Amino acid sequence: MTDIRQPQPPYEGYTGSPLPGERPSQQQPAQPYHPPQAYAPPSGGGATRGASGQQQAARRPRPEGGARSAPRTRKARLRVSRVDPWSVMKVSFLLAIALGICTVVAAAVLWMVMDGMGVFSAVGGTISEATESKKGSGFDLESFLSLPRVLVFTGVIAAINVVLATALATLGAFIYNLSAGFVGGVEVTLAEDE
């Protein structure tokens, strides 16, 4: 068998066409590269011609010293399309606990103020005289409205309020999601302060 191929020059000295996948070497232009522009720069006449050949007015900057317009306030219209019931339950539970603690503290402070002013003794004496009979003394309001009894009663009311407020808020979130599926939800307009 005879080899009919001719010897090839080494790669470094190869000056023929580029190999596949290689870019041909380009010489750098003498001037800097300017990318093509979408709109032609305005000419000295103040008007330019568009792509369709119609004359368009060039934009001019606003005068610095003229009448100033009021600052624009950016507004955005958003829609609450869905409320997560789990997050509503957590937030309403914490708010109901805070409200329950405030209720117990307010009841204790109010009882101390009224006891310091002598309201329970005065009203209790009147009720005791009105309910007194020959067989025994009347109703003792001061012992019935003692501070521990008032705090226990207020604590029970606060605990019931925590359970009911959490359940009602979670149920309200489910009902809102159902109604928002029909009407799209509540629209809120937000404005940015400047």
Side-chain angles (χ1 to χ4, degrees):
M1 189 180 240
T2 309
D3 187 10
I4 58 170
R5 292 182 295 170
Q6 297 185 4
Q8 297 288 328
Y11 180 71
E12 290 82 17
Y14 185 69
T15 57
S17 64
L19 294 174
E22 286 185 351
R23 290 186 172 179
S25 63
Q26 296 178 353
Q27 295 182 358
Q28 295 292 331
Q31 298 178 358
Y33 174 72
H34 295 289
Q37 296 182 355
Y39 300 103
S43 61
T48 60
R49 290 200 177 268
S52 62
Q54 297 177 347
Q55 197 166 11
Q56 299 173 348
R59 291 188 181 188
R60 293 192 176 107
R62 292 184 181 173
E64 294 278 332
R68 273 196 179 161
S69 61
R72 292 183 59 197
T73 302
R74 293 192 307 176
K75 294 182 179 180
R77 293 186 67 181
L78 302 174
R79 179 176 293 151
V80 182
S81 60
R82 187 178 183 281
V83 178
D84 185 25
W86 176 248
S87 65
V88 169
M89 186 183 81
K90 290 188 292 188
V91 170
S92 63
F93 178 71
L94 290 178
L95 289 177
I97 286 179
L99 183 64
I101 292 172
C102 291
T103 304
V104 172
V105 170
V109 169
L110 184 63
W111 187 91
M112 286 189 234
V113 168
M114 290 177 71
D115 187 46
M117 291 172 57
V119 173
F120 293 128
S121 59
V123 174
T126 305
I127 291 177
S128 176
E129 288 175 8
T131 58
E132 190 176 5
S133 65
K134 294 178 181 178
K135 296 179 182 177
S137 62
F139 180 72
D140 188 11
L141 183 67
E142 287 185 73
S143 64
F144 181 74
L145 291 180
S146 64
L147 181 61
R149 186 175 284 182
V150 167
L151 290 181
V152 166
F153 180 72
T154 308
V156 169
I157 295 296
I160 292 172
N161 184 32
V162 167
V163 173
L164 285 179
T166 304
L168 287 176
T170 308
L171 181 65
F174 278 113
I175 292 173
Y176 177 81
N177 288 340
L178 287 175
S179 63
F182 292 114
V183 297
V186 175
E187 288 188 2
V188 181
T189 302
L190 303 176
E192 182 183 26
D193 287 337
E194 291 195 20

